[in-house]
Amino acid sequence: MQPENDNENGNMKKLFIAAALGAACLQANAQTLAMEYKGTSEANPISSNVFCADPTGLEYNGRLYVYGSNDHQQFIANGKKGENNYGEIKSIVVFSTADMVNWTFHGTIDTKKLCSAWTTNPWWHGYGVSWAPSVTWRTNSETGEDEFFLYFCNSSHGVGVLTASSPIGPWKSPNKELMITYDTPGANKQGTNANFDPGVTIDDNGVGWISFGGLGPSTLMPNAARIIKLKPSMTEVDGSAAIIPAPYHFEANELNVIGGKYVYTYCSNWASRSETASEWNTYKAEHGINLSAPNTCTMCYMVSDTPMDPNSWVYKGVYGPHPGNGTNNNHSHLQQFQGRYYHLYHNAAMQEKMKAAGVIDGSTSVYRSLCVNEATVDESTATISQVKTDLTGCEAIANMNPYELQEAETMATSGGIEYEDFTNIKKNGRISNLGNDASQNMQVQMFDGSWFQVRKVDFGSTGAGKFMLRAKGEGTVQIRAGRKGAPASATINISSTEMSDHEVEVDATKFQGVKTLYFVATEANNLFLDAWQFTEGGGSGVETIENGKAVNQQSYDLSGRRLSDAQQHSGIVIEQYTDENGVKHSRKTVNVKQ
C-alpha cells in the first residue's frame, strides 16, 4: 500500500528510523558477553579467573589482605589442562578487600626470584617451590615502623620467610636459606614426616610462634605436628621445636591467639576411623573430652595456654567441613577482620564450572580457588562453631565509594578479562600475565564482550555527574547497572596509545543510591583499564588550573583513601594531578620506607 500524502510518508520514515535505531540498540545490548564461572550474586570464590589455594590473611589499615598458593601458575605451565602437581608454583598470589565482596588483585610475589641466592648445600636448605603461605605483621617497638613477615613451605622439607614494609611489598629474603629445615632442632627428619604448611602468630606479649609439619603415618596420632618459638627478628627460630599431639593430623597448620589462648588448626588425615575406634575411646578417656573422631579431610582445632608443653594442648573438635566441589584436600585460616571472624579456605568450584562449560580439558585437576565464609568464635572460651562453606559466601560489610579513585582490578566477579603488570611492560617491553614476575602495579585487559562487576556502589542521593576512566588502547566501555544485559547508563570511547584519563558527563538520575555496576567492553583492541572514578553531581572533581600552573595534586592509597602525607605511606600511591595544559591525570608510584 502506498502512503496517501507526504506527511504520512514522513511519519513512515520516522517510524522506520526509530525501529532501526531500536534494533541497533537491542543488538548492542544482546552482544555475546564472556562466560562467567562465578555467579553474579555469589561471593565465592573471591576471584573469578585466578586459581589460588591455601589461604592466609592479615588485617591492615582497614583492609583484609589474603595470600595463597599460585595454582594458576601451574595451570599456565600445564597448558591449562592435566593434573596440578604443584611443581611449578613458584610465586604467591595477593588479594585484598575492604568490604568482603569486591576484591583487589595485587598480582604475585615472585619467590623464585627473591630466593634465587639461597644455598643449595645441602639441597634441603635451598629453594624449589612456594606453597601454603602464612603471614603476620607488627609495629616494631624500637623503630615505630610496620613490619610484615610472610612464611611459605618449600615443598615438604622446609619453611622460608620473606619480609616487607607493606602488605604488598616489595618483599625481600632476609636469609640465605630456609628458616626451618630437616636440621632444625626438634623438626621432622629427612625421610620421615614433612616440615611444611607453616602457621604463624604473634602472641599478646609480642612473641612470635610458628607451627609446621605433616604427612605423618595414617594413624590416630601421627606426631608430625610441630611448634617452635621465633626470635625477636621473626626471621630465625629460637630453640627446639615441640610436638603438638594433634589427633588424626595430616597438614594445613595455622595458629591464632584468641582470648589469650593459643589456637592451632589443622586438616585431618585419611586413617580408617573404624580401625581406630577403640583407640579413639581411649584417647577421649585419657583427655577428658566427649567428642566424636573427626571425619577425613576436615579442619580441626586445639587450644593451649603453654604451647611448648605437648600435654597442654586440648583437642576441641571440628570447625571446618570438607570443602567439596571436586577438592581432594583442605586448608584453611581463621582470620579476624573489622571485629568479625572469617573462615578462609579453598575449593575447586571454578574449575568444575569451567569443566562443565567445556572450556578446559576434562583431565584438569585439581586447580583450587580461595573462598571465605563468616565464622562464629567465642573469644572467652576460644571456641569456634562449625562454619558453613558455600558459594553464597559473605555479605558486604561496607559500601564502595565511587567518588574515590578505584582500581580496575577491584571487582566482585568478571568474565573474559586478563591481568597485566604494566611495570614489567615498561621495563621489559612485553606483557607479563599472571604466573610471571611479581606484580605491584596491575591493570585489566579487556576484549570484545569482556566485563567485570563491582557491588554495593553507593552514589548517595545527589548522584554522579561525571565519570573518569583511566585507560589506553581502542574500544568502547559501557557502564550498566543491575545486570550485564541492561541498557548502558553511560558509554565512554577510548582511543589512546598511552594510559590517560577519559571523562564523560553522566545522567545523575542513573547513578543514584546503591548500585551493582558492570563495566562491559562492547569493542576492544589492545584495551587496558587502570582505574575509574565518578564525580558527584555539582562537584568539580580535580580542580582546574589557574594562570596555566598545575594545582591540587592529591595522593591516595589503593583503597581510595586520601593520604595527608604520601611520603610516609609505604606501598602503592596513586597521584591525581592537573598538568599545565589543564589535562587531568592519575598515576601510580611505589613508596618504600627506608
Side-chain angles (χ1 to χ4, degrees), residues 5 37 51 67 73 104 108 277 300 310 336 402 504 511 556 577 594:
N5 53 52
Y37 308 109
F51 291 117
Y67 307 74
Q73 190 169 24
T104 302
T108 59
C300 309
Q336 190 174 28
V504 293
F511 295 98
Y556 303 83
Y577 64 98
Q594 301 298 323

Side-chain angles (χ1 to χ4, degrees), residues 564-590:
S564 58
D565 188 353
Q567 296 301 317
Q568 294 301 310
H569 179 77
S570 182
I572 296 176
V573 174
I574 299 169
E575 297 176 346
Q576 282 192 339
Y577 64 98
T578 303
D579 67 22
E580 60 183 4
N581 298 315
V583 179
K584 287 176 284 187
H585 301 273
S586 58
R587 65 187 178 190
K588 295 178 184 175
T589 61
V590 180

